[in-house]
Amino acid sequence: MAEYLFNQKETKESLKVFFKNEKAKLYSFGSSVNQTFEAYILAKVIDKFKNDGFSVLVKNPKVEGKEIFRLKYSTRGAPNKYTYVIVRKRHLSYQIRHQLRISTYSEKKERDFNANICCDISIIKDEDLSYFKSDESIPNDWLISFGEVKHMSAFAELVASFIGLVHELMPSKLKRIRVKKYKKVILPCFLYVSGFLNPTARGIIETIKNRKFDVDIYSIDRPIK
């Protein structure tokens, strides 16, 4: 991806300012451009909730008795070892998590193999995850919304793959939801790319709009607001 679409060095500096109260370091935002873009979108989601009137509380793990700002850039690792965010407004309380493992909608615990997916960004109910291990997935009914983040331009197959993830995790979002009386109460499931939407991707997105799916696609020329 061309450097002008996403400047990793500048973004790390801006993320350090965004998370200044957590004493975050530049290395906290990953070594690869993909990782930094994930951290950037995580901050965008947090800012979105803040702008919508939610209070924001960053919860950092303790390492040798000290709280350390640490994002999760791997599918491995217990949730309690990484930073997460609690957002609250009136009776609403959610957690924003990075690389969290989530059971699929059709998962049954008695199966030999667990059906779960590790999402780049997850918005879940404010539940206690301190006892979850690396390979354990949270119950699907804790999931409120999720986002997939890709450092690339979008093409039809990528958008279709994202719709497949929504089908596995939150199939109810693929019904005709966005009709006249639709009111967005929280950030819907989303795909966010650092580049542009190719013509084939735009074609798929038009069909998504026609089918009234409750999902959003963001890009460099269509950012989250």
Side-chain angles (χ1 to χ4, degrees), residues 62-81:
K62 283 189 176 181
V63 179
E64 297 179 353
K66 294 183 179 180
E67 290 191 359
I68 301 294
F69 180 86
R70 174 190 289 168
L71 297 182
K72 188 172 183 282
Y73 296 111
S74 169
T75 57
R76 302 290 302 167
N80 66 347
K81 293 182 178 179

Side-chain angles (χ1 to χ4, degrees), residues 67-153:
E67 290 191 359
I68 301 294
F69 180 86
R70 174 190 289 168
L71 297 182
K72 188 172 183 282
Y73 296 111
S74 169
T75 57
R76 302 290 302 167
N80 66 347
K81 293 182 178 179
Y82 300 92
T83 295
Y84 67 98
V85 174
I86 298 175
V87 290
R88 295 191 178 106
K89 183 169 71 171
R90 295 191 291 275
H91 64 285
L92 302 175
S93 185
Y94 306 117
Q95 291 181 19
I96 303 174
R97 294 271 183 169
H98 186 209
Q99 289 293 341
L100 183 65
R101 193 173 295 279
I102 301 164
S103 298
T104 64
Y105 179 80
S106 301
E107 160 68 346
K108 303 298 180 185
K109 291 301 182 183
E110 63 269 16
R111 292 176 180 162
D112 293 334
F113 300 98
N114 294 329
N116 58 67
I117 295 171
C118 200
C119 294
D120 293 334
I121 296 173
S122 303
I123 301 162
I124 66 170
K125 294 179 180 178
D126 190 7
E127 302 283 355
D128 180 15
L129 272 63
S130 61
Y131 58 92
F132 280 81
K133 298 178 181 178
S134 177
D135 293 328
E136 290 183 298
S137 55
I138 70 163
N140 183 268
D141 60 6
W142 288 6
L143 181 62
I144 303 298
S145 185
F146 74 92
E148 283 296 293
V149 181
K150 303 296 180 187
H151 178 53
M152 60 192 301
S153 288

Side-chain angles (χ1 to χ4, degrees), residues 195-208:
F196 295 98
L197 302 175
N198 289 344
T200 57
R202 291 181 183 274
I204 296 292
I205 292 168
E206 283 301 313
T207 72
I208 290 172

